[in-house]
Amino acid sequence: MDFLQAEYVADWLRTWGIGAYLISIALSVVVSVIGIIPSIFLTTANVMVFGWTPGFFVSWIGEILGAAVSFVLYQKGVLKLEEKLLTPKRKQWFKRIQYMSHLRQFSAVLLARVAPFMPSALVTFMCVITDIRFTLYMLATAIGKAPSIFLESVTGYGVSVLDERLVTIILFLLIIIFFVFFRPKKFRSK
């Protein structure tokens, strides 16, 4: 399983020269579609090869494109399996999500995407079954994947390499985002 090791992938990407950017993004799409392979090895390899900021953005773009391709492909396959796999009770649960406001649907997808190490395929599968709008799904994915990929980058690359101020600023922004979208009921205005 050397191909899932960041060092191996980083060495392999380096052999592609400038084409490594596109190869890495294509790999991210494949990892997203397969759905069972964690992407942290690729995020770490991207940071090792391209540097922290470009590596982060290559990973982020790859994850977003992978989410879009996965959504479309899963939609074609899931709709056929839906009748066979879902019991009437589970269908009711998914119907409740379908009838949520767009803001609540967006918030649910965003929360699932912000969680690092959350299987992307599971989030995408749930979104397809609940029939969430593609644009809503993509917006929540694009915003939610940024902190998740940041945490994967930090985990893979090591916190000691990053500037402490950058980590503090990003964590502060994440807390603000959390309270804007998911503030507890006691803090909401009536």
Side-chain angles (χ1 to χ4, degrees):
M1 297 280 273
D2 282 343
F3 64 92
L4 290 179
Q5 304 237 344
E7 294 83 11
Y8 178 82
V9 175
D11 290 342
W12 183 75
L13 283 173
R14 285 185 189 104
T15 65
W16 288 92
I18 195 74
Y21 289 98
L22 294 176
I23 297 294
S24 179
I25 289 170
L27 279 174
S28 287
V29 171
V30 170
V31 166
S32 291
V33 170
I34 292 172
I36 57 170
I37 302 171
S39 63
I40 189 168
F41 76 95
L42 190 54
T43 302
T44 303
N46 287 339
V47 171
M48 291 169 72
V49 172
F50 307 121
W52 197 87
T53 303
F56 167 83
F57 282 108
V58 167
S59 297
W60 185 63
I61 291 167
E63 291 265 353
I64 292 169
L65 291 175
V69 170
S70 296
F71 188 90
V72 171
L73 291 176
Y74 289 10
Q75 205 169 32
K76 292 182 184 298
V78 166
L79 296 177
K80 294 175 184 171
L81 293 174
E82 187 176 359
E83 294 299 319
K84 296 177 185 175
L85 296 177
L86 294 179
T87 63
K89 192 171 190 171
R90 286 188 182 139
K91 282 184 185 179
Q92 275 185 312
W93 186 79
F94 287 114
K95 289 280 186 209
R96 283 190 199 130
I97 294 173
Q98 285 175 338
Y99 295 119
M100 283 181 177
S101 71
H102 293 305
L103 179 61
R104 293 195 104 190
Q105 288 178 345
F106 172 83
S107 299
V109 176
L110 183 67
L111 183 61
R113 289 295 190 200
V114 167
F117 313 109
M118 170 71 84
S120 288
L122 179 63
V123 176
T124 303
F125 182 76
M126 299 295 274
C127 289
V128 167
I129 287 178
T130 57
D131 205 25
I132 289 176
R133 289 184 183 176
F134 181 75
T135 52
L136 195 69
Y137 164 80
M138 287 307 299
L139 181 62
T141 295
I143 295 169
K145 272 300 191 181
S148 175
I149 292 171
F150 171 78
L151 290 173
E152 286 181 5
S153 299
V154 169
T155 302
Y157 195 62
V159 178
S160 61
V161 178
L162 297 175
D163 183 3
E164 281 184 35
R165 291 173 291 191
L166 177 66
V167 173
T168 305
I169 290 168
I170 291 176
L171 289 175
F172 179 71
L173 290 173
L174 289 174
I175 291 169
I176 290 172
I177 289 170
F178 176 80
F179 274 101
V180 167
F181 286 106
F182 308 107
R183 60 185 175 256
K185 286 182 180 178
K186 65 181 177 181
F187 293 111
R188 292 183 192 167
S189 60
K190 293 183 181 188

